[in-house]
Amino acid sequence: MPGKNLSRDEAQQRASILTVDAYRVRLDVTSAPDPAAATFRSTTTIAFRCAEPGASTFVDLLAPAVRAVTLNGRALDPAAAYDGARVHVDGLAAENVLTVEADCAYSRTGEGLHRFTDPADGETYLYTHYEPADARRVFATFEQPDLKAPFTFTVTAPAAWDVWSNAPHETVTAEDATRTWEFAPTRPISTYLTAVVAGPYHVARDHYSRTLDDGTVLDIPLSAMCRRSLAPYFDADEILGVTKLGLDFFHERFAYPYPFGKYDQAFVPEYNIGAMENPGCVTFREEFVFRSKVTDAAYEGRANVVLHEMAHMWFGDLVTMRWWDDLWLKESFADFMGSYGLVGAGTRFQSAWVTFANQRKAWAYRQDQFPTTHPITADIRDLEDAKLNFDGITYAKGASVLKQLVAYAGADAFFEGARRYFQRHAFGNTELADLLDILEETSGRDLKSWAAAWLQTAGVNTLTPQLTADAEGRITELAVLQDGEVLRPHRIAVGLYDRDADGALVRTARFELDVTGARTAVAEAVGLTRPAFVLLNDDDLTYCKIRFDEESLETLRTGLGDIKDDLARALAWSAVWNLTRDALMPARDYVALVLRFAGQEANIGVLQSLHTQAKGAVDLYADPAWRGEGGRLLADGALHELRAAAPGGDHQLAWARFLAQTANGSEHLGLVRGLLAGTARIDGLEVDQELRWALWLALAAAGQATEEELAGELAADNTAGGRRQHTQCLAARPTPEAKAAAWSAVIDSDELPNALVEANIAGFAVPAHRDLTTLYAAPYFKLLERVWAERTIEIAMRIVGGFFPQAQVDEATLAEADGWLAGHPDAAPALRRLVLERRDDLARALRAQACDRA
């Protein structure tokens, strides 16, 4: 489609001549409840100025039909002006008014205006999601972040519905079976941040008040909403409680009053991401409304996302990056502030940095070791590049580096810099230099060289201790060795650990220092007794992989679970997982550590990470000849810990879910079926609906669930969640017919909504079914370019990543991937990046298997 993939050069040229003064957008969604209605009416009026009268430009729009285009009172021929992605206009005046009337399409993919009909009650719901460039699916727009403007939305919807947007509504006018909602103008915001949510949502309301420094009172109306059928499960009080703590915290730290009036939070169906920071109208995936019992890690994760999106009200919404190169200016900050805020705001989730060290950084380390890794400040050539840049570098590595910056420059200087940044650039757009200039003012440090090392180069450093001791066991030398393509300055802590009287491993000494260059001595340690365990990057101040000296590694083998401090123990777990991924520790040794010590793990989030990683180690990194034994060991371990766990607790639930993921023998699967039938019982374990589906998935993947049984479970849970789970179970059955049906449902039609695309792919790709799915490797590589050309980028990304033959860890599959890459040098760069990353995962798995075999 011509012009669909907007380039940075085009955006810069357009911004150089245009200033946008206002948008007025009218949407008529009264057709939404009719499943046969494919489109809705959209009318956009844009007032803008042109610095070069007589010039031409274009407006972005993805719509099935354009009815009318009018520029400064002059009607243009839609057939000539609209090419399917852009409305071209020429002969611009110094001041212009452009109106575009279009029929835009309801979405099934979560991009644009998504429509969902609830199977539980037949009600229809709408919501928008645009980042990075899907506002053009709903209204005509200059689709780039640096052409900010105020927006005024008017939405006509069925009379029984409510409608929300970024600003409060001013009037609601009823007429026959409809109501028209007129919203106040927004403050200047970017197009991708605008939002509309409409439908018969269940709503909880509250308000937040704060007396500002000038004596005025800031009053913010609050609301939280979900589908009506989810209302019995909606714990709005907890969500709004975290919201209030966050508003207090960010007002204290940022000293800039929340600028967007109200604060709505909508939990919406079939959402592609965790949440989106639309100012005044934040949208979240509704899986954060828990239908069944979940562990406290799930509540912590949701609270983190609430604060992450709230931080965006300042970092991203008030001040926005000029182009997607500087996406980190919002995402890295929000990711950092999510964890920082959970601790600082006084929420009950005081172990947030433990979760960050163990989970978020694992994402960053993986992404940063791909051949496609990039600097935090990236080179984003176009919108396809931008879409793929919402990754572990921009989020988790960026957040890790900001944590290092706070250690390097000091928290006071960092937050004073943030306050000045908001004051100077409110409602504007910025680049890296704008922030660095301010932080240099407040910290007194030269941050340009720091930024060059940390923000403008790629890759992760490895820090290794070098320790020698004399015959009496006194340290004669302790040094930190740094490895990596770029050697960076690191502010770290080094912890020395020994056993206390109770046998626990506790910190006996701590040294904080700057690591520079390839080798840095820790002079303060000389003369101390050699410890049992040396932990580099104690307290997790910097972003790096850590290694161990041999004595420390032996201590971990025999006593990892004895480390008393939660964060130190999480760092040790993270390090041994990195050793496994880097083919320096056999997968079976990592599995042995998990089986030996995971039962002692107090932090539920870390425990659930260990489950995921241990399963991955067996499925991908273990020698295939040992894989069966490794799987049995995991299932036996899960069963043992399930029976030993405290009744009714989080750990019991986590082990029950892990048993469902690993069950493979008659004892395990017999218990699974007994739990479903009620003939078996584990004291304190409630087999609720979500756990039932997890157990059914175990039986389905083992070939022990019939279509009739799965249909019966769906009949008992005919909900959106039930349909997703049922679809995954059907695709997970180990038969050629089940795999063919899942493949066909996704590949041969674009009628499936995004949630069911994801469910089919997840069920298809059961690692244990590699003998069945290997047949699809060749067809996969043949259809890649067609999928990329014909599907929306969101769905194409899921297909390319999800159907890659990842479980086929063999040289033949690696050769097929290499052959496709070599034979398609001109394929879309974003597509090549996805394939190259999956290929790298495959090569890493082969190296890990060789290590395990040896």
Side-chain angles (χ1 to χ4, degrees), residues 688-832:
D688 57 24
Q689 189 58 66
E690 290 301 311
L691 183 54
R692 288 186 65 82
W693 279 118
L695 298 172
W696 276 118
L697 182 60
L699 293 178
Q704 296 189 20
T706 67
E707 282 195 52
E708 292 73 21
E709 287 176 317
L710 295 174
E713 191 66 29
L714 177 61
D717 182 32
N718 190 22
T719 64
R723 289 191 176 186
R724 287 196 304 273
Q725 301 275 17
H726 177 254
T727 298
Q728 183 174 349
C729 286
L730 289 177
R733 291 171 299 155
T735 67
E737 294 79 12
K739 301 308 177 186
W743 175 273
S744 177
V746 174
I747 297 299
D748 296 339
S749 169
D750 64 355
E751 293 301 311
L752 277 187
N754 50 345
L756 297 188
V757 168
E758 185 176 297
N760 271 293
I761 291 174
F764 175 92
V766 173
H769 300 167
R770 53 182 60 82
D771 290 344
L772 289 169
T773 56
T774 189
L775 304 174
Y776 294 87
Y780 166 86
F781 287 108
K782 290 178 181 177
L783 60 77
L784 286 175
E785 288 185 295
R786 175 170 66 84
V787 164
W788 198 259
E790 295 177 357
R791 301 298 182 91
T792 67
I793 190 168
E794 183 69 41
I795 299 301
M797 287 170 60
R798 294 183 187 211
I799 293 172
V800 174
F803 276 143
F804 185 92
Q806 196 66 53
Q808 276 70 51
V809 185
D810 54 42
E811 294 291 346
T813 307
L814 188 67
E816 283 191 274
D818 286 339
W820 185 89
L821 288 163
H824 296 80
D826 299 322
L831 171 58
R832 285 183 55 83

Side-chain angles (χ1 to χ4, degrees), residues 306-583:
V306 168
L307 296 187
H308 174 119
E309 304 309 323
M310 187 179 293
H312 274 311
M313 298 298 130
W314 290 267
F315 281 112
D317 295 358
L318 177 66
V319 185
T320 311
M321 71 272 158
R322 191 173 309 284
W323 178 248
W324 302 101
D325 294 344
D326 284 305
L327 177 64
W328 78 281
L329 280 173
K330 70 185 190 76
E331 294 302 348
S332 298
F333 281 84
D335 213 52
F336 170 75
M337 287 295 171
S339 297
Y340 193 93
L342 282 180
V343 176
T347 73
R348 63 187 177 89
F349 306 109
Q350 292 299 294
S351 63
W353 287 120
V354 176
T355 306
F356 182 84
N358 189 256
Q359 295 180 18
R360 297 301 282 181
K361 288 182 109 172
W363 181 26
Y365 295 142
R366 176 175 181 262
Q367 192 78 46
D368 209 11
Q369 293 176 90
F370 281 141
T372 58
T373 189
H374 58 84
I376 295 170
T377 299
D379 179 24
I380 302 301
R381 297 159 295 185
D382 54 36
L383 292 178
E384 287 190 359
D385 276 359
K387 183 72 174 178
L388 267 65
N389 216 44
F390 290 82
D391 61 13
I393 304 296
T394 302
Y395 283 75
K397 181 181 179 180
S400 304
V401 168
L402 288 179
K403 189 178 184 187
Q404 168 68 180
L405 176 60
V406 171
Y408 182 74
D412 291 344
F414 177 82
F415 282 104
E416 176 58 26
R419 290 188 281 271
R420 294 185 191 183
Y421 179 71
F422 301 139
Q423 290 289 343
R424 290 183 196 175
H425 299 289
F427 301 106
N429 297 85
T430 58
E431 299 172 344
L432 168 64
D434 299 309
L435 179 66
L436 292 183
D437 288 346
I438 292 172
L439 289 175
E440 285 186 339
E441 290 175 16
T442 59
S443 70
R445 287 201 182 240
D446 172 17
L447 291 180
K448 290 184 176 61
S449 58
W450 180 91
W454 277 109
L455 302 178
Q456 296 170 318
T457 60
V460 57
N461 297 119
T462 300
L463 301 184
T464 304
Q466 184 182 64
L467 187 150
T468 59
D470 60 21
E472 297 178 350
R474 299 284 178 180
I475 296 174
T476 57
E477 182 181 52
L478 176 59
V480 180
L481 308 183
Q482 180 180 186
D483 189 21
E485 292 187 12
V486 177
L487 301 185
R488 299 182 175 92
H490 297 263
R491 184 70 180 175
I492 72 165
V494 178
L496 308 185
Y497 287 74
D498 266 308
R499 293 193 180 274
D500 65 9
D502 298 323
L505 283 166
V506 297
R507 188 164 65 192
T508 56
R510 178 186 185 274
F511 312 106
E512 193 166 316
L513 68 152
D514 289 327
V515 170
T516 57
R519 188 177 188 280
T520 303
V522 187
E524 300 94 326
V526 174
L528 297 178
T529 301
R530 178 173 187 147
F533 175 52
V534 177
L535 180 61
L536 301 187
N537 196 30
D538 206 355
D539 297 324
D540 199 33
L541 299 182
T542 194
Y543 170 77
C544 67
K545 291 192 296 184
I546 58 172
R547 304 299 196 209
F548 303 106
D549 62 283
E550 276 304 316
E551 187 166 322
S552 294
L553 189 56
E554 185 58 32
T555 296
L556 292 181
R557 289 191 180 101
T558 58
L560 193 158
D562 299 332
I563 300 173
K564 190 171 184 179
D565 180 74
D566 281 0
L567 180 55
R569 196 171 60 254
L571 290 169
W573 278 120
S574 175
V576 295
W577 175 240
N578 280 322
L579 287 170
T580 307
R581 292 191 73 248
D582 292 344

